[in-house]
Structures are given as structure tokens and as C-alpha cells.
Amino acid sequence: MDIWWSLHLRREPASVPLARRVLLGTMATVGVDPEISYEVGIALTEACANAVEHAAPGAAGSEDDGFHVTATIEGDRLRIEVTDSGPGFAPRVRRERTARSGRRPEPAERPERPERTVPRRAAVVTADPSAESGRGLFLIRALADHVQFRNHPRRGAVVSFDKLLTYQDRPLARAS
């Protein structure tokens, strides 16, 4: 059984546990292993909390743009995407140099990449275990199988992650 759902939530703290409950309820209904559900629930909570905390509110006098959560279960794979309307991730600040010559590569030699994609290692390097905040992206990376942090083409940040699922029992899948 394949399942897909999407939520458009207000940028307020009460939206975070709501999104988590919808996800956990969906996974329990299809029989996902509770340990996997727990891990994915934490990752989703961190992604939503970041959207609530860091996304920009709407323009003065306008309504809150909120944020979007989309989840897809296709067979043994779960994909979650959280999109907000904030400033997005900071562009990568790193010089690209060749290992041998120390010179900056010519534009034709540089690998093709989206302009504002956050590098995979950025979250790991910036996580401070003693800080009260700032570990969310690190936790998402640790709990998911594949993670992507990128900027939305128009405005905002997109946190996407995949998790391979294991099932205890699949009552709904057998019934269909």
C-alpha cells in the first residue's frame, strides 16, 4: 500500500506535535516497526521545529505563510519533505581548490551543483553537543538514511529525508 499526505501548518509551536502525531499514526496503521517510527518522529519534529523557529513570518499585515510537510510511504521507503518560507540555508562559503596546484578551478572544471544547496557535512560540523539548540539538522542526518538540505527555488528552506522501513505486521497492505 502506498500512502501520501501533505499538511500546510501555521508557523507556531503547536504545529510540531500535530505533524508528528499524523506521521506516527500513519506509520502505526500500516504496521511500521515502532523503533523506526520513533526515529522518524524525532527527525520530523526537528525539521518542523526548525521551520517554526527560522522561517520568516509573512509581510507586515499579512498572514503567516506557515510551512508544508509532505510524507510518502511507497513500499519499504518513507520520504518526508518539510518546506518553509524563511530565508533558506546560508550559501556555502568554501573555496574550491585543486589538491595539487592550489589554484582555483576554472568555471568549466567546477562540478555542476545547485547554487544554494547546503553541503552534506555542514550540519555535522556545526553541531555543538553542549548547546541548547543547533543540533536539529545533525539529528535528522543521524536518524535518516538519506538527507538533503536545500533552498527552495523561490524562497525558503527544504529539508528532505528518506528512511527504509521495516514492518511488524502489515494488516492494511494484506487487505488491499
Side-chain angles (χ1 to χ4, degrees):
M1 169 183 279
D2 293 345
I3 298 173
W4 175 87
W5 56 259
S6 184
L7 301 171
H8 183 174
L9 301 164
R10 290 188 180 271
R11 208 176 64 86
E12 58 190 34
S15 297
V16 176
L18 174 63
R20 183 176 174 148
R21 280 193 296 268
V22 170
L23 177 65
L24 293 177
T26 302
M27 290 192 296
T29 300
V30 298
V32 172
D33 182 299
E35 187 174 321
I36 298 290
S37 296
Y38 178 77
E39 291 175 357
V40 173
I42 291 172
L44 177 65
T45 298
E46 293 298 333
C48 291
N50 283 344
V52 167
E53 184 176 343
H54 300 295
S62 71
E63 280 193 44
D64 178 9
D65 290 339
F67 64 101
H68 296 271
V69 178
T70 303
T72 307
I73 297 176
E74 293 178 342
D76 292 341
R77 181 168 301 277
L78 168 69
R79 174 146 185 93
I80 294 179
E81 188 168 280
V82 178
T83 306
D84 67 42
S85 58
F89 292 103
R92 184 154 123 181
V93 182
R94 181 178 79 110
R95 291 183 176 213
E96 295 177 23
R97 295 194 180 268
T98 58
R100 285 186 217 147
S101 68
R103 68 175 178 79
R104 184 161 174 82
E106 297 301 317
E109 296 174 348
R110 294 181 196 147
E112 291 293 322
R113 282 187 227 141
E115 276 183 35
R116 295 169 25 151
T117 298
V118 172
R120 182 178 173 112
R121 301 309 256 165
V124 174
V125 173
T126 60
D128 179 1
S130 64
E132 287 191 28
S133 64
R135 294 185 302 258
L137 300 180
F138 177 79
L139 282 170
I140 294 167
R141 184 175 307 288
L143 296 169
D145 295 322
H146 178 266
V147 179
Q148 184 180 26
F149 305 112
R150 61 186 168 86
N151 288 325
H152 191 276
R154 285 184 236 137
R155 182 174 152 220
V158 180
V159 175
S160 305
F161 57 94
D162 296 339
K163 184 75 172 178
L164 286 173
L165 302 176
T166 56
Y167 294 90
Q168 283 187 326
D169 190 18
R170 297 177 73 167
L172 289 180
R174 286 192 198 124
S176 31

